[in-house]
Amino acid sequence: MTDLPGPYETIVVEEPEPGIAVVRINRPEVRNAINTRMGHELVDAFTRIGTSVRRWRAVIFTGEGDKAFCAGVDLKERKGMSDEDWHAQHQLFERMMLAVLDCPLPVIAAVNGAAFAGGCEFVLLCDFAYAAPQARFALTEVTIGIMPGGGGTQTLARRIGYGRASEVIFTGTPFSAAEAHEWGMLNRIVPQDALMSEALATARRIAQNAPLSIRQAKRAMLLGERMDLRTGMFFEVDAYNSLVHTEDRREGINAFNEKRKPIFRGH
């Protein structure tokens, strides 16, 4: 199809299969570092994908090349930046991070290399992540006089626990893909040459399921984790009940009883 988001200067949006979007950071010459242009482009891409849910079923977020997923914010662009310009840029980056977090579709991180600072925060904002063995992770902001500002202080502890997260953030020390997997930050470690095919296979399985069900399940999980258990269970039931009257629910039951594969249309 021709109505892909873009074209862009710093990212590429592709559709390897119907309904599956690949958002690829495309500044390999600077280890896919985030600049102001990329901030605008990621806000646009994720907003357009997230508001076209009948078109899309799943998103893979990755980087170009085999060295870096994303090295964080481009500090060369920030050299000499006034306080006012710094604040303005960071407000854009806040919107960028929220655009990833708020995407109603499943977002899979395919971490092809180093994910430092803002790059690590990108991974943590995705629903789950696969990584190549050589991938490394770090939140290094305290080593240059700032702190994580793209959600890292909130998302890392939710993934790996406060004790490990505080050590990572307070020291700024990088950790390996093996450690990230052991701690629960990564779902799988996949050979570099199979990383995208593995992520695509998972996205394909997601895309075959009922899209309204997937979106409501994601919503229930993300919002429910901020509630006490009893409130969260009631919230889940409300999300469940919203699916009872859908055509996809009827199609799923009919297909099961007719021993055929369901065709879900998002209605």
Side-chain angles (χ1 to χ4, degrees), residues 55-260:
R55 162 78 187 278
W56 302 106
R57 300 288 183 91
V59 182
I60 299 171
F61 193 16
T62 191
E64 181 62 37
D66 59 3
K67 301 298 183 184
F69 170 76
C70 174
V73 173
D74 190 336
L75 297 180
K76 290 184 179 179
E77 185 182 43
R78 282 184 161 177
K79 184 179 181 181
M81 187 178 284
S82 69
D83 292 351
E84 292 76 12
D85 288 343
W86 189 295
H87 280 299
Q89 186 194 55
H90 199 269
Q91 287 175 346
L92 168 64
F93 290 165
E94 291 162 24
R95 291 183 58 207
M96 173 187 70
M97 294 299 187
L98 289 173
V100 179
L101 177 66
D102 291 339
C103 184
L105 304 168
V107 182
I108 305 165
V111 188
N112 53 300
F116 280 19
C120 186
E121 290 173 312
F122 277 149
V123 176
L124 293 164
L125 290 169
C126 295
D127 293 294
F128 58 91
Y130 300 166
Q134 75 272 19
R136 287 169 62 78
F137 303 85
L139 290 170
T140 54
E141 288 86 350
V142 299
T143 68
I144 59 168
I146 52 174
M147 60 171 277
T153 64
Q154 306 303 303
T155 52
L156 186 63
R158 284 174 165 84
R159 290 288 177 94
I160 69 174
Y162 178 81
R164 285 198 175 104
S166 60
E167 181 180 18
V168 167
I169 291 171
F170 298 163
T171 65
T173 303
F175 55 100
S176 66
E179 289 170 313
H181 183 258
E182 178 187 350
W183 298 345
M185 183 174 154
L186 296 177
N187 285 37
R188 301 182 196 175
I189 298 176
V190 182
Q192 176 76 41
D193 59 1
L195 178 63
M196 284 303 296
S197 60
E198 192 86 359
L200 185 58
T202 299
R204 186 182 303 123
R205 291 195 63 179
I206 292 170
Q208 292 170 350
N209 293 326
L212 297 177
S213 301
I214 295 293
R215 296 202 297 272
Q216 287 294 77
K218 175 171 177 173
R219 183 168 176 264
M221 286 190 288
L222 285 178
L223 298 180
E225 71 175 358
R226 289 149 177 79
M227 305 173 186
D228 64 87
L229 178 59
R230 189 175 182 84
T231 303
M233 290 181 70
F234 281 114
F235 185 81
E236 177 188 86
V237 169
D238 287 340
Y240 174 95
N241 285 338
S242 73
L243 300 170
V244 172
H245 303 290
T246 64
E247 293 178 17
D248 279 356
R249 193 274 301 168
R250 296 183 181 91
E251 167 65 10
I253 299 304
N254 289 338
F256 177 84
N257 284 285
E258 295 166 10
K259 296 181 172 57
R260 61 176 175 82

Side-chain angles (χ1 to χ4, degrees), residues 13-92:
V13 179
E14 303 162 327
E15 187 177 17
E17 295 183 13
I20 298 174
V22 174
V23 179
R24 188 185 307 275
I25 303 171
N26 190 33
R27 299 186 75 215
E29 70 281 1
V30 289
R31 299 177 65 83
N32 293 324
I34 308 161
N35 63 1
T36 301
R37 170 57 60 184
M38 187 186 296
H40 286 292
E41 293 182 348
L42 284 173
V43 168
D44 184 76
F46 273 95
T47 299
R48 290 177 61 184
I49 291 168
T51 54
S52 302
V53 290
R54 289 192 175 180
R55 162 78 187 278
W56 302 106
R57 300 288 183 91
V59 182
I60 299 171
F61 193 16
T62 191
E64 181 62 37
D66 59 3
K67 301 298 183 184
F69 170 76
C70 174
V73 173
D74 190 336
L75 297 180
K76 290 184 179 179
E77 185 182 43
R78 282 184 161 177
K79 184 179 181 181
M81 187 178 284
S82 69
D83 292 351
E84 292 76 12
D85 288 343
W86 189 295
H87 280 299
Q89 186 194 55
H90 199 269
Q91 287 175 346
L92 168 64

